[in-house]
Amino acid sequence: MDTTRYASFIGRLLIGLPFAMSGFGKLAAYGATTAYIASAGLPVPPLSYAIAVLVELGGGLLLIAGYQTRAVALALAVFSVAAAISFYNNFADQNQMIHFLKNVMMAGGLLQIVAFGAGALSLDARSRHDSGGVAGVAHAR
């Protein structure tokens, strides 16, 4: 049994699912989320809200599926660090420090995905295997 095959998928699932769930949660709480963004002093809260939903929901689902995984993981890593700096910068508050470190740890895991890719159980791996399939045959003619 090739545990690496399954470990990479489970890792993507465990990192991508919280992002997707957070994005879904933001869809149900526009007012509260934009107010929270405004309280952090970020410019144009509605735009920041739209970016957060797109990155979290879209990025989380793409990461789970293993599609464009390295680019998606890099975007999520940058987003995680930016969120940590923007929202959890009061290190005197232990709760904020924990959230800051959680975001930094997520960025570290995401950078591992950037470095090593999606793994075997992913759309990225499937598209590499299909490159010599029907499209490759049609192109060769």
mmCIF file of all heavy atoms in Angstrom, residues 68-113:
data_model
loop_
_atom_site.group_PDB
_atom_site.id
_atom_site.type_symbol
_atom_site.label_atom_id
_atom_site.label_comp_id
_atom_site.label_asym_id
_atom_site.label_seq_id
_atom_site.Cartn_x
_atom_site.Cartn_y
_atom_site.Cartn_z
ATOM 1 N N GLN A 68 -4.514 22.721 -10.359
ATOM 2 C CA GLN A 68 -3.614 23.882 -10.316
ATOM 3 C C GLN A 68 -3.083 24.051 -8.892
ATOM 4 O O GLN A 68 -3.012 25.158 -8.351
ATOM 5 C CB GLN A 68 -4.330 25.147 -10.797
ATOM 6 C CG GLN A 68 -4.786 25.106 -12.227
ATOM 7 C CD GLN A 68 -3.615 25.067 -13.205
ATOM 8 O OE1 GLN A 68 -2.678 25.838 -13.066
ATOM 9 N NE2 GLN A 68 -3.670 24.175 -14.164
ATOM 10 N N THR A 69 -2.718 22.946 -8.305
ATOM 11 C CA THR A 69 -2.463 22.859 -6.872
ATOM 12 C C THR A 69 -1.346 23.768 -6.396
ATOM 13 O O THR A 69 -1.474 24.418 -5.362
ATOM 14 C CB THR A 69 -2.156 21.403 -6.494
ATOM 15 O OG1 THR A 69 -3.200 20.588 -7.021
ATOM 16 C CG2 THR A 69 -2.098 21.234 -5.004
ATOM 17 N N ARG A 70 -0.250 23.812 -7.109
ATOM 18 C CA ARG A 70 0.872 24.633 -6.642
ATOM 19 C C ARG A 70 0.512 26.113 -6.625
ATOM 20 O O ARG A 70 0.807 26.826 -5.663
ATOM 21 C CB ARG A 70 2.110 24.366 -7.483
ATOM 22 C CG ARG A 70 2.711 23.011 -7.169
ATOM 23 C CD ARG A 70 4.010 22.783 -7.891
ATOM 24 N NE ARG A 70 4.714 21.688 -7.252
ATOM 25 C CZ ARG A 70 5.363 20.741 -7.900
ATOM 26 N NH1 ARG A 70 5.435 20.771 -9.216
ATOM 27 N NH2 ARG A 70 5.959 19.784 -7.232
ATOM 28 N N ALA A 71 -0.131 26.599 -7.661
ATOM 29 C CA ALA A 71 -0.529 28.012 -7.717
ATOM 30 C C ALA A 71 -1.572 28.322 -6.648
ATOM 31 O O ALA A 71 -1.500 29.358 -5.975
ATOM 32 C CB ALA A 71 -1.061 28.358 -9.103
ATOM 33 N N VAL A 72 -2.532 27.422 -6.482
ATOM 34 C CA VAL A 72 -3.586 27.618 -5.480
ATOM 35 C C VAL A 72 -2.982 27.610 -4.080
ATOM 36 O O VAL A 72 -3.310 28.459 -3.239
ATOM 37 C CB VAL A 72 -4.682 26.536 -5.623
ATOM 38 C CG1 VAL A 72 -5.627 26.544 -4.432
ATOM 39 C CG2 VAL A 72 -5.453 26.741 -6.927
ATOM 40 N N ALA A 73 -2.084 26.663 -3.807
ATOM 41 C CA ALA A 73 -1.455 26.592 -2.486
ATOM 42 C C ALA A 73 -0.638 27.852 -2.201
ATOM 43 O O ALA A 73 -0.646 28.359 -1.071
ATOM 44 C CB ALA A 73 -0.578 25.344 -2.382
ATOM 45 N N LEU A 74 0.044 28.377 -3.212
ATOM 46 C CA LEU A 74 0.808 29.607 -3.023
ATOM 47 C C LEU A 74 -0.129 30.772 -2.708
ATOM 48 O O LEU A 74 0.141 31.572 -1.798
ATOM 49 C CB LEU A 74 1.659 29.913 -4.254
ATOM 50 C CG LEU A 74 2.536 31.157 -4.156
ATOM 51 C CD1 LEU A 74 3.509 31.066 -2.978
ATOM 52 C CD2 LEU A 74 3.293 31.370 -5.462
ATOM 53 N N ALA A 75 -1.229 30.886 -3.438
ATOM 54 C CA ALA A 75 -2.197 31.963 -3.174
ATOM 55 C C ALA A 75 -2.764 31.846 -1.758
ATOM 56 O O ALA A 75 -2.898 32.851 -1.050
ATOM 57 C CB ALA A 75 -3.322 31.921 -4.208
ATOM 58 N N LEU A 76 -3.100 30.624 -1.337
ATOM 59 C CA LEU A 76 -3.624 30.426 0.013
ATOM 60 C C LEU A 76 -2.571 30.731 1.079
ATOM 61 O O LEU A 76 -2.899 31.255 2.149
ATOM 62 C CB LEU A 76 -4.165 29.005 0.175
ATOM 63 C CG LEU A 76 -5.474 28.705 -0.556
ATOM 64 C CD1 LEU A 76 -5.772 27.208 -0.546
ATOM 65 C CD2 LEU A 76 -6.623 29.488 0.049
ATOM 66 N N ALA A 77 -1.307 30.413 0.809
ATOM 67 C CA ALA A 77 -0.234 30.718 1.762
ATOM 68 C C ALA A 77 -0.082 32.226 1.929
ATOM 69 O O ALA A 77 0.015 32.735 3.055
ATOM 70 C CB ALA A 77 1.083 30.088 1.299
ATOM 71 N N VAL A 78 -0.071 32.953 0.824
ATOM 72 C CA VAL A 78 0.036 34.417 0.881
ATOM 73 C C VAL A 78 -1.172 34.997 1.614
ATOM 74 O O VAL A 78 -1.039 35.880 2.474
ATOM 75 C CB VAL A 78 0.174 35.013 -0.542
ATOM 76 C CG1 VAL A 78 0.021 36.533 -0.531
ATOM 77 C CG2 VAL A 78 1.504 34.607 -1.158
ATOM 78 N N PHE A 79 -2.360 34.491 1.297
ATOM 79 C CA PHE A 79 -3.587 34.937 1.958
ATOM 80 C C PHE A 79 -3.516 34.690 3.462
ATOM 81 O O PHE A 79 -3.897 35.551 4.261
ATOM 82 C CB PHE A 79 -4.794 34.211 1.342
ATOM 83 C CG PHE A 79 -6.101 34.577 1.977
ATOM 84 C CD1 PHE A 79 -6.793 35.705 1.567
ATOM 85 C CD2 PHE A 79 -6.651 33.789 2.975
ATOM 86 C CE1 PHE A 79 -8.009 36.049 2.149
ATOM 87 C CE2 PHE A 79 -7.862 34.114 3.554
ATOM 88 C CZ PHE A 79 -8.541 35.257 3.142
ATOM 89 N N SER A 80 -3.017 33.526 3.862
ATOM 90 C CA SER A 80 -2.928 33.177 5.284
ATOM 91 C C SER A 80 -2.006 34.126 6.040
ATOM 92 O O SER A 80 -2.329 34.565 7.149
ATOM 93 C CB SER A 80 -2.429 31.737 5.450
ATOM 94 O OG SER A 80 -3.356 30.833 4.933
ATOM 95 N N VAL A 81 -0.860 34.427 5.449
ATOM 96 C CA VAL A 81 0.083 35.341 6.098
ATOM 97 C C VAL A 81 -0.504 36.756 6.139
ATOM 98 O O VAL A 81 -0.410 37.445 7.161
ATOM 99 C CB VAL A 81 1.455 35.309 5.399
ATOM 100 C CG1 VAL A 81 2.370 36.405 5.918
ATOM 101 C CG2 VAL A 81 2.105 33.939 5.587
ATOM 102 N N ALA A 82 -1.135 37.186 5.042
ATOM 103 C CA ALA A 82 -1.742 38.519 5.013
ATOM 104 C C ALA A 82 -2.849 38.628 6.063
ATOM 105 O O ALA A 82 -2.957 39.649 6.762
ATOM 106 C CB ALA A 82 -2.292 38.818 3.615
ATOM 107 N N ALA A 83 -3.665 37.589 6.202
ATOM 108 C CA ALA A 83 -4.723 37.592 7.215
ATOM 109 C C ALA A 83 -4.128 37.620 8.621
ATOM 110 O O ALA A 83 -4.626 38.324 9.504
ATOM 111 C CB ALA A 83 -5.632 36.377 7.037
ATOM 112 N N ALA A 84 -3.066 36.869 8.837
ATOM 113 C CA ALA A 84 -2.416 36.849 10.152
ATOM 114 C C ALA A 84 -1.928 38.245 10.521
ATOM 115 O O ALA A 84 -2.159 38.725 11.639
ATOM 116 C CB ALA A 84 -1.254 35.859 10.144
ATOM 117 N N ILE A 85 -1.271 38.901 9.580
ATOM 118 C CA ILE A 85 -0.720 40.239 9.842
ATOM 119 C C ILE A 85 -1.846 41.267 10.030
ATOM 120 O O ILE A 85 -1.769 42.135 10.898
ATOM 121 C CB ILE A 85 0.230 40.652 8.698
ATOM 122 C CG1 ILE A 85 1.474 39.767 8.734
ATOM 123 C CG2 ILE A 85 0.603 42.123 8.786
ATOM 124 C CD1 ILE A 85 2.345 39.867 7.487
ATOM 125 N N SER A 86 -2.913 41.139 9.235
ATOM 126 C CA SER A 86 -3.995 42.129 9.263
ATOM 127 C C SER A 86 -4.927 41.982 10.457
ATOM 128 O O SER A 86 -5.403 42.982 10.999
ATOM 129 C CB SER A 86 -4.836 42.023 7.986
ATOM 130 O OG SER A 86 -4.051 42.296 6.855
ATOM 131 N N PHE A 87 -5.191 40.759 10.883
ATOM 132 C CA PHE A 87 -6.227 40.530 11.881
ATOM 133 C C PHE A 87 -5.719 40.045 13.235
ATOM 134 O O PHE A 87 -6.443 40.134 14.223
ATOM 135 C CB PHE A 87 -7.257 39.530 11.349
ATOM 136 C CG PHE A 87 -8.042 40.056 10.189
ATOM 137 C CD1 PHE A 87 -7.704 39.718 8.899
ATOM 138 C CD2 PHE A 87 -9.112 40.924 10.384
ATOM 139 C CE1 PHE A 87 -8.412 40.207 7.812
ATOM 140 C CE2 PHE A 87 -9.825 41.426 9.319
ATOM 141 C CZ PHE A 87 -9.479 41.068 8.023
ATOM 142 N N TYR A 88 -4.535 39.501 13.291
ATOM 143 C CA TYR A 88 -4.056 38.877 14.534
ATOM 144 C C TYR A 88 -2.697 39.433 14.934
ATOM 145 O O TYR A 88 -1.754 38.704 15.193
ATOM 146 C CB TYR A 88 -3.984 37.358 14.366
ATOM 147 C CG TYR A 88 -5.258 36.754 13.832
ATOM 148 C CD1 TYR A 88 -5.265 36.049 12.641
ATOM 149 C CD2 TYR A 88 -6.459 36.914 14.504
ATOM 150 C CE1 TYR A 88 -6.431 35.502 12.141
ATOM 151 C CE2 TYR A 88 -7.639 36.386 14.005
ATOM 152 C CZ TYR A 88 -7.614 35.681 12.830
ATOM 153 O OH TYR A 88 -8.773 35.150 12.334
ATOM 154 N N ASN A 89 -2.580 40.752 14.993
ATOM 155 C CA ASN A 89 -1.287 41.380 15.231
ATOM 156 C C ASN A 89 -1.098 41.908 16.649
ATOM 157 O O ASN A 89 -0.088 42.517 16.945
ATOM 158 C CB ASN A 89 -1.041 42.492 14.208
ATOM 159 C CG ASN A 89 -2.188 43.476 14.159
ATOM 160 O OD1 ASN A 89 -2.892 43.669 15.142
ATOM 161 N ND2 ASN A 89 -2.378 44.100 13.007
ATOM 162 N N ASN A 90 -2.065 41.679 17.527
ATOM 163 C CA ASN A 90 -1.940 42.083 18.921
ATOM 164 C C ASN A 90 -1.401 40.895 19.718
ATOM 165 O O ASN A 90 -2.147 40.098 20.263
ATOM 166 C CB ASN A 90 -3.292 42.543 19.477
ATOM 167 C CG ASN A 90 -3.206 42.948 20.935
ATOM 168 O OD1 ASN A 90 -2.127 43.013 21.519
ATOM 169 N ND2 ASN A 90 -4.358 43.221 21.531
ATOM 170 N N PHE A 91 -0.080 40.800 19.784
ATOM 171 C CA PHE A 91 0.542 39.632 20.403
ATOM 172 C C PHE A 91 0.399 39.615 21.924
ATOM 173 O O PHE A 91 0.689 38.601 22.551
ATOM 174 C CB PHE A 91 2.011 39.526 19.998
ATOM 175 C CG PHE A 91 2.209 39.336 18.523
ATOM 176 C CD1 PHE A 91 3.286 39.910 17.885
ATOM 177 C CD2 PHE A 91 1.322 38.592 17.768
ATOM 178 C CE1 PHE A 91 3.479 39.737 16.517
ATOM 179 C CE2 PHE A 91 1.493 38.410 16.400
ATOM 180 C CZ PHE A 91 2.572 38.992 15.776
ATOM 181 N N ALA A 92 -0.065 40.713 22.521
ATOM 182 C CA ALA A 92 -0.344 40.717 23.955
ATOM 183 C C ALA A 92 -1.600 39.895 24.257
ATOM 184 O O ALA A 92 -1.780 39.417 25.376
ATOM 185 C CB ALA A 92 -0.510 42.143 24.455
ATOM 186 N N ASP A 93 -2.462 39.731 23.265
ATOM 187 C CA ASP A 93 -3.674 38.918 23.392
ATOM 188 C C ASP A 93 -3.332 37.487 22.978
ATOM 189 O O ASP A 93 -3.032 37.225 21.809
ATOM 190 C CB ASP A 93 -4.760 39.502 22.486
ATOM 191 C CG ASP A 93 -6.077 38.735 22.515
ATOM 192 O OD1 ASP A 93 -6.105 37.578 22.977
ATOM 193 O OD2 ASP A 93 -7.076 39.310 22.049
ATOM 194 N N GLN A 94 -3.362 36.565 23.927
ATOM 195 C CA GLN A 94 -2.945 35.187 23.644
ATOM 196 C C GLN A 94 -3.797 34.548 22.543
ATOM 197 O O GLN A 94 -3.292 33.784 21.724
ATOM 198 C CB GLN A 94 -2.996 34.334 24.913
ATOM 199 C CG GLN A 94 -2.446 32.943 24.682
ATOM 200 C CD GLN A 94 -2.381 32.118 25.956
ATOM 201 O OE1 GLN A 94 -2.900 32.503 26.988
ATOM 202 N NE2 GLN A 94 -1.737 30.981 25.862
ATOM 203 N N ASN A 95 -5.082 34.875 22.500
ATOM 204 C CA ASN A 95 -5.947 34.311 21.461
ATOM 205 C C ASN A 95 -5.484 34.769 20.072
ATOM 206 O O ASN A 95 -5.431 33.970 19.136
ATOM 207 C CB ASN A 95 -7.402 34.723 21.713
ATOM 208 C CG ASN A 95 -8.360 34.018 20.786
ATOM 209 O OD1 ASN A 95 -8.265 32.811 20.567
ATOM 210 N ND2 ASN A 95 -9.290 34.774 20.223
ATOM 211 N N GLN A 96 -5.144 36.053 19.943
ATOM 212 C CA GLN A 96 -4.658 36.537 18.653
ATOM 213 C C GLN A 96 -3.315 35.910 18.297
ATOM 214 O O GLN A 96 -3.063 35.588 17.128
ATOM 215 C CB GLN A 96 -4.554 38.066 18.646
ATOM 216 C CG GLN A 96 -5.903 38.737 18.516
ATOM 217 C CD GLN A 96 -5.784 40.179 18.095
ATOM 218 O OE1 GLN A 96 -4.845 40.577 17.410
ATOM 219 N NE2 GLN A 96 -6.765 40.976 18.489
ATOM 220 N N MET A 97 -2.471 35.707 19.289
ATOM 221 C CA MET A 97 -1.173 35.070 19.038
ATOM 222 C C MET A 97 -1.377 33.646 18.525
ATOM 223 O O MET A 97 -0.708 33.220 17.580
ATOM 224 C CB MET A 97 -0.323 35.055 20.308
ATOM 225 C CG MET A 97 0.984 34.295 20.135
ATOM 226 S SD MET A 97 2.099 35.013 18.936
ATOM 227 C CE MET A 97 3.036 36.063 20.007
ATOM 228 N N ILE A 98 -2.323 32.924 19.110
ATOM 229 C CA ILE A 98 -2.613 31.556 18.667
ATOM 230 C C ILE A 98 -3.112 31.567 17.229
ATOM 231 O O ILE A 98 -2.676 30.769 16.400
ATOM 232 C CB ILE A 98 -3.618 30.871 19.617
ATOM 233 C CG1 ILE A 98 -2.944 30.587 20.963
ATOM 234 C CG2 ILE A 98 -4.181 29.589 18.996
ATOM 235 C CD1 ILE A 98 -3.907 30.188 22.062
ATOM 236 N N HIS A 99 -4.020 32.490 16.910
ATOM 237 C CA HIS A 99 -4.531 32.582 15.535
ATOM 238 C C HIS A 99 -3.431 32.984 14.560
ATOM 239 O O HIS A 99 -3.378 32.479 13.432
ATOM 240 C CB HIS A 99 -5.708 33.555 15.455
ATOM 241 C CG HIS A 99 -6.983 32.985 15.961
ATOM 242 N ND1 HIS A 99 -7.656 31.975 15.319
ATOM 243 C CD2 HIS A 99 -7.710 33.271 17.059
ATOM 244 C CE1 HIS A 99 -8.740 31.669 15.993
ATOM 245 N NE2 HIS A 99 -8.796 32.436 17.061
ATOM 246 N N PHE A 100 -2.562 33.901 14.982
ATOM 247 C CA PHE A 100 -1.439 34.299 14.135
ATOM 248 C C PHE A 100 -0.567 33.080 13.819
ATOM 249 O O PHE A 100 -0.246 32.815 12.653
ATOM 250 C CB PHE A 100 -0.611 35.382 14.835
ATOM 251 C CG PHE A 100 0.570 35.852 14.031
ATOM 252 C CD1 PHE A 100 0.428 36.887 13.126
ATOM 253 C CD2 PHE A 100 1.818 35.257 14.166
ATOM 254 C CE1 PHE A 100 1.510 37.323 12.367
ATOM 255 C CE2 PHE A 100 2.904 35.681 13.418
ATOM 256 C CZ PHE A 100 2.748 36.721 12.517
ATOM 257 N N LEU A 101 -0.199 32.331 14.857
ATOM 258 C CA LEU A 101 0.648 31.153 14.665
ATOM 259 C C LEU A 101 -0.057 30.084 13.834
ATOM 260 O O LEU A 101 0.575 29.420 13.011
ATOM 261 C CB LEU A 101 1.094 30.597 16.018
ATOM 262 C CG LEU A 101 2.041 31.504 16.800
ATOM 263 C CD1 LEU A 101 2.285 30.937 18.197
ATOM 264 C CD2 LEU A 101 3.347 31.719 16.053
ATOM 265 N N LYS A 102 -1.365 29.917 14.009
ATOM 266 C CA LYS A 102 -2.138 28.963 13.206
ATOM 267 C C LYS A 102 -2.051 29.331 11.734
ATOM 268 O O LYS A 102 -1.820 28.464 10.884
ATOM 269 C CB LYS A 102 -3.599 28.950 13.670
ATOM 270 C CG LYS A 102 -4.545 28.216 12.737
ATOM 271 C CD LYS A 102 -5.985 28.654 12.909
ATOM 272 C CE LYS A 102 -6.201 30.111 12.810
ATOM 273 N NZ LYS A 102 -6.944 30.677 11.752
ATOM 274 N N ASN A 103 -2.190 30.600 11.430
ATOM 275 C CA ASN A 103 -2.101 31.030 10.036
ATOM 276 C C ASN A 103 -0.703 30.816 9.471
ATOM 277 O O ASN A 103 -0.549 30.410 8.321
ATOM 278 C CB ASN A 103 -2.507 32.495 9.907
ATOM 279 C CG ASN A 103 -4.004 32.680 9.865
ATOM 280 O OD1 ASN A 103 -4.744 32.022 10.591
ATOM 281 N ND2 ASN A 103 -4.465 33.574 9.029
ATOM 282 N N VAL A 104 0.313 31.086 10.281
ATOM 283 C CA VAL A 104 1.691 30.869 9.837
ATOM 284 C C VAL A 104 1.927 29.374 9.592
ATOM 285 O O VAL A 104 2.561 28.994 8.599
ATOM 286 C CB VAL A 104 2.692 31.454 10.861
ATOM 287 C CG1 VAL A 104 4.110 31.024 10.566
ATOM 288 C CG2 VAL A 104 2.580 32.979 10.876
ATOM 289 N N MET A 105 1.407 28.527 10.480
ATOM 290 C CA MET A 105 1.562 27.074 10.289
ATOM 291 C C MET A 105 0.848 26.606 9.025
ATOM 292 O O MET A 105 1.382 25.771 8.289
ATOM 293 C CB MET A 105 1.024 26.314 11.506
ATOM 294 C CG MET A 105 1.922 26.400 12.709
ATOM 295 S SD MET A 105 1.352 25.389 14.091
ATOM 296 C CE MET A 105 0.040 26.395 14.731
ATOM 297 N N MET A 106 -0.349 27.145 8.765
ATOM 298 C CA MET A 106 -1.055 26.780 7.534
ATOM 299 C C MET A 106 -0.240 27.188 6.320
ATOM 300 O O MET A 106 -0.131 26.419 5.354
ATOM 301 C CB MET A 106 -2.437 27.445 7.479
ATOM 302 C CG MET A 106 -3.430 26.840 8.426
ATOM 303 S SD MET A 106 -5.125 27.431 8.210
ATOM 304 C CE MET A 106 -4.950 29.182 8.198
ATOM 305 N N ALA A 107 0.355 28.373 6.368
ATOM 306 C CA ALA A 107 1.189 28.821 5.252
ATOM 307 C C ALA A 107 2.355 27.863 5.054
ATOM 308 O O ALA A 107 2.705 27.537 3.911
ATOM 309 C CB ALA A 107 1.686 30.248 5.497
ATOM 310 N N GLY A 108 2.942 27.385 6.143
ATOM 311 C CA GLY A 108 4.035 26.419 6.034
ATOM 312 C C GLY A 108 3.597 25.127 5.367
ATOM 313 O O GLY A 108 4.288 24.608 4.488
ATOM 314 N N GLY A 109 2.448 24.599 5.756
ATOM 315 C CA GLY A 109 1.927 23.391 5.116
ATOM 316 C C GLY A 109 1.615 23.623 3.649
ATOM 317 O O GLY A 109 1.877 22.769 2.796
ATOM 318 N N LEU A 110 1.062 24.778 3.343
ATOM 319 C CA LEU A 110 0.753 25.107 1.950
ATOM 320 C C LEU A 110 2.017 25.230 1.112
ATOM 321 O O LEU A 110 2.041 24.822 -0.048
ATOM 322 C CB LEU A 110 -0.079 26.393 1.888
ATOM 323 C CG LEU A 110 -1.513 26.231 2.384
ATOM 324 C CD1 LEU A 110 -2.097 27.572 2.777
ATOM 325 C CD2 LEU A 110 -2.368 25.531 1.346
ATOM 326 N N LEU A 111 3.075 25.769 1.690
ATOM 327 C CA LEU A 111 4.336 25.861 0.953
ATOM 328 C C LEU A 111 4.938 24.481 0.702
ATOM 329 O O LEU A 111 5.638 24.284 -0.302
ATOM 330 C CB LEU A 111 5.321 26.780 1.686
ATOM 331 C CG LEU A 111 4.934 28.262 1.659
ATOM 332 C CD1 LEU A 111 5.896 29.084 2.507
ATOM 333 C CD2 LEU A 111 4.865 28.797 0.232
ATOM 334 N N GLN A 112 4.648 23.511 1.561
ATOM 335 C CA GLN A 112 5.061 22.134 1.296
ATOM 336 C C GLN A 112 4.334 21.606 0.054
ATOM 337 O O GLN A 112 4.920 20.906 -0.773
ATOM 338 C CB GLN A 112 4.770 21.234 2.504
ATOM 339 C CG GLN A 112 5.653 21.494 3.693
ATOM 340 C CD GLN A 112 7.086 21.090 3.408
ATOM 341 O OE1 GLN A 112 7.336 19.968 2.991
ATOM 342 N NE2 GLN A 112 8.007 22.002 3.630
ATOM 343 N N ILE A 113 3.069 21.970 -0.079
ATOM 344 C CA ILE A 113 2.315 21.571 -1.269
ATOM 345 C C ILE A 113 2.883 22.263 -2.501
ATOM 346 O O ILE A 113 3.003 21.648 -3.571
ATOM 347 C CB ILE A 113 0.807 21.850 -1.086
ATOM 348 C CG1 ILE A 113 0.247 20.970 0.040
ATOM 349 C CG2 ILE A 113 0.045 21.623 -2.388
ATOM 350 C CD1 ILE A 113 -1.168 21.322 0.465
#
